[in-house]
Amino acid sequence: MMENLRTKANSPFIKILLGLIMLSFVLTGVMMGGLGGNSANKAAEVNGQPISKEQLQQAFQQERQSLQEYLGDKFSEVASNEESMNLLRRQALDNLINNELINQYANELNLSASDQQIEQSIFSMPIFQTDGRFDSDKYREILSRYNINADSFAAQIRQDLTRAQLGKSFTGTDFALPSEVKAYAELFMQEREIRTATLSLADVQAKQTISEEELKAYYDANQNSFISPEKVKVSYVEMDAASMPEATVSDEEVKTYYEQNLKNYTQAEQKQYSMIQVASEKEANDIINEIKAGADFATLAAEKSTDKFSAGNKGLIGWMEAASTPSEIITANLTEKGQLSAPVKAQDNYVVFRLDDIKPESTKPFEQVSETIKVSLLQDKNIKQFYDLQQKVSEAATSDMESLVSVESVSGLKMVTTDWFDRNNPPAALNFPKVINEVFSDRLVDKNGSKGINSDVINVEGDRAFVVRVTEYKPESTEPFETVKPAIETLVKRQKADAELKATADKLLADLKAGKGEEALSTAGVKFTGVQTVSRLMPQTATINTAMDMAQPVDGKPAYSIARDESDNYVVIQLDKVTLGQPTEDELKQLSREYQGVMSSAVNEALMLNLRENAKIEVLNLE
């Protein structure tokens, strides 16, 4: 077994292995990049350890992308809010700080990862698998594509496994006592018998009367609530790559491209190697003599090689091109099939290499790649055609600022003119953040209105582009009283009804707690429903949430509380009975995992709070 990963990182096989592991982390976004050394490049310091601005920017972009995927079309509104983006950036930095604190704490505890854990992690990585199993061919193919420094990754992979080990040490499965899980399950699965009486907001609102003076007074006191946003009318020309005529490619063009780019279709010579690693030069020479005497290389590799990774593959380390062949194998200078190397020193070991096979350089025939070339050339032509159109439109739009007539002329496309719209309600055809930001930018409009100029070409997703000009402009203004009067009337009636209903609900609650029961209900004009049984296992509503949080009845007397339902009605709740859950064995097992998750989250949060309280954290630059 290897003594440790760091000292063995220069082994030929481990170079291949670690390079590929690093690749998998790069591809999945785990690696965060190197630390900055100078203060100008630092975003923060954690106990003297720097976090670079590049790390922060990458983490921020990942947070931003996650938020965009979650919010969808609503993301543009958040993205245009500087305060929201600053909060997101701060969240990204906090996560980096937390990660660094965890790494430092793991180092203090001298936690480490074993070679076997590293091996298991490698073979379980999806990037190396086909149909759920480790695929050595895929492994070698990816390796040959990338040139990753193995030494720097050796520390990174050990660090990630060590952090996982730290998490398990604090949140393992054996700290949850069966009695704790049972108590948690009984509480979680408890059922409550309730009755409810609903005070309808709509009924009370319908009875409200509002004077003209009240409406006017509300309008005067809340002018800022009736601001009409700036609005524009826009003329635009849209370019859509999908609607352009399809380009054509001749057979002659395809053939010419193939002949001019033969190197792209040529597979360099490949050699397949095997290896046996031992501790001394004498052992290596003994193995060479055994093989020359007829011993089987694969059997000796499996039995005697100290490099367990290649030994597990009977010595085979795979096909390689010259460019991706480790220096130790190059030193062996093997040129013929079956040729054995002399012992090659690698770190504190000696390696015997064998050249198993050779694949000569080969070129794919034209017939095999012609269709692929044709598709690629068509795509390039279509892109160029769309780009050329944009160039012509850009020149026309910027040379003739008086209108979009010149743009129409050079493009053959028709101009479209919109009705009035504001920033938050654009026409569907223009609903792209880049377009809307340009329309309302100070390049096209100012406090005096439209500047009467064209935008340049604005590229958006979906291979589309626009040129726009603001034809009319209305600045932000206060809506006239008569325009908003109906909305004010509805709003004020609702506010008055809500205040009246709250007073009624508070009095009813107090009377019920005082034991006035039916009299109180009659005065309020409501009745309790029949008994309902609710639990946390049901779809949750405001009423059920409140009922589950209420104190239990005492001395056989019901408990009372108030909730607001989804229509803002007041719901008076009478809690009559609480029955603890009776979990089955299967339910206990399932809730045991949930309980451990709850406890794990609590322990992790407490650990992080403690680490932050005792750390020296300095934020230097959030930009």
Side-chain angles (χ1 to χ4, degrees):
M1 192 162 207
M2 296 179 295
E3 295 170 7
N4 60 66
L5 182 59
R6 188 183 300 276
T7 59
K8 296 297 182 183
N10 287 319
S11 160
F13 191 78
I14 296 300
K15 280 184 177 179
I16 297 170
L17 187 63
L18 293 181
L20 196 51
I21 303 171
M22 178 178 258
L23 169 63
S24 76
F25 276 81
V26 170
L27 294 179
T28 55
V30 174
M31 298 291 288
M32 293 301 299
L35 296 173
N38 58 73
S39 59
N41 191 44
K42 294 176 186 175
E45 276 192 0
V46 183
N47 294 325
Q49 185 69 20
I51 294 174
S52 71
K53 288 194 289 186
E54 287 79 6
Q55 284 178 281
L56 173 57
Q57 183 60 21
Q58 185 173 355
F60 169 69
Q61 291 300 335
Q62 290 175 344
E63 293 278 359
R64 192 176 188 277
Q65 183 176 350
S66 297
L67 184 63
Q68 184 173 6
E69 291 172 356
Y70 176 74
L71 293 178
D73 294 340
K74 296 180 180 179
F75 175 74
S76 59
E77 182 177 343
V78 176
S80 62
N81 185 301
E82 184 176 354
E83 183 178 354
S84 297
M85 289 297 99
N86 287 337
L87 286 173
L88 195 65
R89 188 177 294 274
R90 180 68 207 215
Q91 176 180 315
L93 182 58
D94 281 343
N95 290 339
L96 289 174
I97 290 171
N98 290 347
N99 288 341
E100 180 58 34
L101 286 170
I102 289 293
N103 289 336
Q104 292 178 13
Y105 189 53
N107 290 335
E108 287 180 23
L109 297 179
N110 293 319
L111 296 178
S112 186
S114 70
D115 299 329
Q116 185 178 7
Q117 287 173 306
I118 295 168
E119 178 182 352
Q120 291 173 346
S121 177
I122 294 161
F123 284 92
S124 65
M125 288 179 180
I127 192 173
F128 303 141
Q129 295 180 353
T130 299
D131 297 328
R133 299 184 64 182
F134 181 78
D135 185 336
S136 58
D137 288 335
K138 178 184 270 189
Y139 171 89
R140 289 190 293 270
E141 187 274 324
I142 296 176
L143 172 66
S144 67
R145 227 187 305 152
Y146 293 87
N147 181 22
I148 305 296
N149 182 281
D151 295 335
S152 63
F153 180 71
Q156 179 67 44
I157 188 69
R158 187 177 295 280
Q159 185 182 75
D160 290 325
L161 292 174
T162 300
R163 285 180 55 197
Q165 186 183 44
L166 174 64
K168 288 180 181 178
S169 69
F170 279 93
T171 59
T173 58
D174 51 357
F175 75 90
L177 299 174
S179 59
E180 292 177 337
V181 176
K182 187 172 186 296
Y184 172 77
E186 289 174 344
L187 287 172
F188 182 79
M189 297 179 65
Q190 68 175 240
E191 293 182 342
R192 297 190 167 206
E193 293 182 5
I194 66 170
R195 295 191 292 162
T196 62
T198 301
L199 300 170
S200 171
L201 178 63
D203 290 347
V204 178
Q205 184 174 335
K207 299 174 183 177
Q208 301 300 315
T209 58
I210 307 293
S211 68
E212 186 79 7
E213 289 72 22
E214 286 179 289
L215 295 176
K216 191 68 168 64
Y218 186 91
Y219 175 78
D220 291 340
N222 296 276
Q223 292 272 316
N224 290 338
S225 299
F226 307 108
I227 299 297
S228 175
E230 58 180 344
K231 295 181 179 180
V232 294
K233 281 187 177 181
V234 167
S235 292
Y236 68 91
V237 170
E238 178 183 1
M239 292 162 279
D240 186 351
S243 64
M244 297 184 68
E246 186 76 15
T248 59
V249 174
S250 68
D251 293 342
E252 184 179 349
E253 288 176 292
V254 175
K255 184 69 173 177
T256 299
Y257 182 89
Y258 172 77
E259 292 171 350
Q260 292 177 348
N261 295 272
L262 273 178
K263 65 179 183 299
N264 295 337
Y265 308 103
T266 300
Q267 172 68 60
E269 180 186 67
Q270 292 181 302
K271 294 181 178 180
Q272 186 184 57
Y273 295 96
S274 294
M275 65 176 274
I276 300 174
Q277 177 178 286
V278 289
S280 68
E281 186 174 11
K282 180 181 181 304
E283 290 178 86
N285 280 317
D286 288 345
I287 283 173
I288 291 172
N289 291 333
E290 286 187 64
I291 295 170
K292 288 180 178 179
D296 181 60
F297 187 101
T299 301
L300 290 176
E303 293 176 352
K304 297 187 176 184
S305 181
T306 60
D307 187 300
K308 297 304 180 185
F309 291 106
S310 58
N313 208 24
K314 297 182 178 180
L316 185 67
I317 57 176
W319 291 97
M320 300 177 195
E321 296 179 9
S324 61
T325 303
S327 58
E328 291 85 351
I329 297 179
I330 294 174
T331 301
N333 194 28
L334 302 177
T335 58
E336 298 178 3
K337 293 182 185 180
Q339 184 180 356
L340 291 174
S341 72
V344 176
K345 196 172 189 313
Q347 289 289 91
D348 299 326
N349 301 293
Y350 286 83
V351 184
V352 176
F353 293 105
R354 184 181 70 180
L355 174 56
D356 299 328
D357 202 355
I358 301 173
K359 289 181 183 177
E361 178 181 283
S362 62
T363 301
K364 292 181 180 179
F366 173 72
E367 293 73 18
Q368 187 177 335
V369 297
S370 61
E371 191 60 33
T372 302
I373 294 174
K374 185 174 183 179
V375 170
S376 176
L377 291 178
L378 276 172
Q379 185 178 30
D380 290 346
K381 278 194 172 185
N382 285 328
I383 291 172
K384 184 178 185 305
Q385 181 175 270
F386 189 48
Y387 177 76
D388 290 344
L389 174 63
Q390 290 183 54
Q391 286 290 99
K392 290 193 295 183
V393 166
S394 176
E395 292 171 5
T398 53
S399 62
D400 180 7
M401 287 289 189
E402 297 302 317
S403 70
L404 292 176
V405 172
S406 295
V407 171
E408 287 184 302
S409 177
V410 300
S411 67
L413 301 169
K414 291 296 182 182
M415 178 183 67
V416 178
T417 300
T418 71
D419 200 351
W420 289 104
F421 67 90
D422 60 53
R423 179 186 290 271
N424 296 319
N425 298 283
L430 295 179
N431 194 11
F432 299 94
K434 289 174 68 175
V435 175
I436 300 307
N437 288 340
E438 178 69 5
V439 166
F440 288 93
S441 72
D442 56 11
R443 213 181 79 78
L444 299 187
V445 296
D446 59 21
K447 62 181 181 180
N448 297 317
S450 170
K451 290 186 175 180
I453 63 173
N454 302 326
S455 74
D456 202 343
V457 172
I458 308 165
N459 284 285
V460 299
E461 59 267 27
D463 290 331
R464 283 186 280 181
F466 294 84
V467 173
V468 300
R469 64 180 289 113
V470 176
T471 55
E472 295 185 63
Y473 175 80
K474 288 181 183 178
E476 183 182 273
S477 63
T478 303
E479 295 274 13
F481 172 69
E482 290 301 325
T483 301
V484 297
K485 180 179 175 181
I488 295 176
E489 183 174 358
T490 300
L491 179 61
V492 174
K493 281 185 176 181
R494 188 177 184 86
Q495 288 179 348
K496 292 179 71 172
D498 191 74
E500 181 180 324
L501 200 64
K502 185 179 186 306
T504 301
D506 289 343
K507 185 176 187 309
L508 175 57
L509 181 64
D511 288 345
L512 289 170
K513 289 180 176 179
K516 295 182 179 180
E518 293 300 326
E519 177 188 349
L521 292 167
S522 178
T523 300
V526 294
K527 293 182 179 181
F528 275 124
T529 62
V531 175
Q532 307 169 55
T533 300
V534 299
S535 75
R536 290 188 175 89
L537 301 178
M538 301 170 62
Q540 297 297 285
T541 64
T543 300
I544 293 177
N545 285 336
T546 301
M548 297 308 297
D549 290 338
M550 290 172 64
Q552 297 192 28
V554 179
D555 298 331
K557 296 180 180 179
Y560 296 97
S561 188
I562 294 178
R564 299 293 295 271
D565 69 12
E566 291 71 20
S567 300
D568 280 339
N569 301 313
Y570 281 82
V571 181
V572 180
I573 304 169
Q574 176 177 302
L575 173 60
D576 296 320
K577 183 179 178 181
V578 176
T579 304
L580 289 177
Q582 300 295 319
T584 65
E585 286 301 315
D586 286 343
E587 287 169 336
L588 279 173
K589 289 178 182 177
Q590 181 177 347
L591 288 171
S592 175
R593 291 190 292 270
E594 182 175 317
Y595 177 74
Q596 290 157 14
V598 171
M599 296 303 294
S600 294
S601 297
V603 171
N604 279 327
E605 184 175 351
L607 172 63
M608 188 53 61
L609 285 173
N610 182 267
L611 291 176
R612 291 187 77 110
E613 286 175 3
N614 292 285
K616 182 180 179 181
I617 300 171
E618 186 178 3
V619 177
L620 303 170
N621 196 331
L622 266 174
E623 296 300 322

